[in-house]
Amino acid sequence: MAAKAQTQESGLDTLKLWVAILLLGAGVFGFYSLDDVSVLYRALGLVGIALAAVALAYTTDKGRRAWVFAQDARTELRRVVWPTRTETVQTTLIVLLIVLLVGIFLWLLDMLLQWGFGAITGVGG
């Protein structure tokens, strides 16, 4: 019996998600189709419709799980130890130097292979 109730709730959640998607699509369509109305009013209407669609999606199980995921991601982002400016500049310079060295190596390898194939086949300068 509990499985049946869970299935009905899931069906209702799916319907709510589709309604939220259609509502958002209608808002975007209305934004672009009502080009004779002020951009401010169209933008405010689109933001209002988007908020209504998000609120409707939040009432579903997937919407609540997505909200919890976003909160957890924000919490983890606060725990990150960000590098200092000096570390960032040093790392960037090292990466640029290595890219330059690898580029020069590949250019020299290309020149060597071109010369070798030219010497073997007699084609090229």
Side-chain angles (χ1 to χ4, degrees):
M1 182 122 173
K4 187 173 185 178
Q6 188 76 331
T7 306
Q8 289 175 349
E9 185 175 288
S10 176
L12 183 61
D13 282 354
T14 304
L15 179 65
K16 286 180 185 179
L17 286 175
W18 276 109
V19 169
I21 290 169
L22 290 175
L23 186 63
L24 190 58
V28 171
F29 177 77
F31 179 83
Y32 287 109
S33 64
L34 298 174
D35 55 354
D36 56 335
V37 179
S38 171
V39 175
L40 175 65
Y41 296 137
R42 290 187 294 154
L44 288 175
L46 182 60
V47 168
I49 289 174
L51 288 175
V54 167
L56 182 62
Y58 178 75
T59 63
T60 66
D61 183 50
K62 287 183 181 180
R64 283 187 292 277
R65 284 190 286 147
W67 180 255
V68 169
F69 175 77
Q71 287 177 330
D72 290 344
R74 186 173 180 197
T75 302
E76 289 298 322
L77 190 63
R78 289 181 183 158
R79 293 182 187 173
V80 172
V81 178
W82 297 101
T84 63
R85 180 176 176 85
T86 306
E87 292 171 337
T88 304
V89 169
Q90 289 174 350
T91 305
T92 302
L93 290 176
I94 290 171
V95 168
L96 289 174
L97 179 67
I98 290 174
V99 166
L100 181 67
L101 291 175
V102 169
I104 290 171
F105 171 74
L106 290 174
W107 175 64
L108 291 174
L109 182 64
D110 181 52
M111 296 292 284
L112 176 69
L113 290 173
Q114 184 181 9
W115 174 80
F117 283 122
I120 292 171
T121 61
V123 178

